[in-house]
Amino acid sequence: MPEQEDEKHHQDRVAETLRLEIGVLIEGELVDPRIHFCYVSEVALNPGGKSARVYVALDSAVQDIAKAEEETVAGLEAAKGYIRFTLKERMGVRHVPELTFLADRSGRFQARIAELMDRSRKRQKTPGSL
């Protein structure tokens, strides 16, 4: 039982380190014009540590967010080899997980839900509305 907890703790630490290091790479070292202003919201490491899903959230001020997400993910996928090589050098490990980049839309969904809830509350407060 304690071994499983230790393994989970190790995976959490690796995932957090990957999140921070990939974020630094995106902010300062990647110059692909397809990559819009974004941040790494989460890294989900699969059991065994052979692969990881990297969730990237974009700034909501972008005009066409769906297109920007698609371009950003494509740019990050194209830079995957460089990212893995740099992570290996910085982290000093023998193996860096295979990375899969995905757009994180949870923030947009939360904002939309909050907006709908506010509308519903306003309707309930106004007199004479059904």
Side-chain angles (χ1 to χ4, degrees):
M1 203 66 159
E3 295 84 22
Q4 290 176 343
E5 291 175 13
D6 290 344
E7 186 175 326
K8 174 74 173 132
H9 180 68
H10 174 74
Q11 281 193 337
D12 289 346
R13 281 192 354 245
V14 170
E16 182 63 15
T17 302
L18 288 170
R19 187 184 72 78
L20 294 172
E21 290 296 331
I22 294 170
V24 169
L25 282 169
I26 289 172
E27 286 176 14
E29 296 180 35
L30 298 179
V31 292
D32 191 326
R34 294 176 290 181
I35 301 173
H36 296 266
F37 181 72
C38 63
Y39 65 94
V40 179
S41 59
E42 181 184 3
V43 173
L45 201 60
N46 288 343
K50 298 261 187 231
S51 63
R53 292 181 313 276
V54 181
Y55 293 94
V56 181
L58 268 72
D59 182 21
S60 60
V62 177
Q63 295 291 336
D64 185 4
I65 194 139
K67 182 181 178 199
E69 284 176 346
E70 190 176 308
E71 289 176 348
T72 299
V73 169
L76 291 170
E77 285 291 331
K80 186 187 311 192
Y82 172 77
I83 292 171
R84 287 187 71 207
F85 175 78
T86 306
L87 288 171
K88 183 177 179 182
E89 296 291 314
R90 287 185 182 178
M91 293 172 66
V93 295
R94 282 187 273 164
H95 174 74
V96 174
E98 184 65 35
L99 304 174
T100 304
F101 292 94
L102 303 165
D104 183 1
R105 297 179 178 102
S106 62
R108 286 195 350 238
F109 291 141
Q110 285 177 334
R112 178 71 177 146
I113 290 169
E115 177 186 335
L116 293 172
M117 294 293 288
D118 287 343
R119 283 186 194 171
S120 175
R121 286 186 196 112
K122 286 178 184 176
R123 277 192 216 128
Q124 290 174 353
K125 288 182 180 178
T126 58
S129 66
L130 296 175

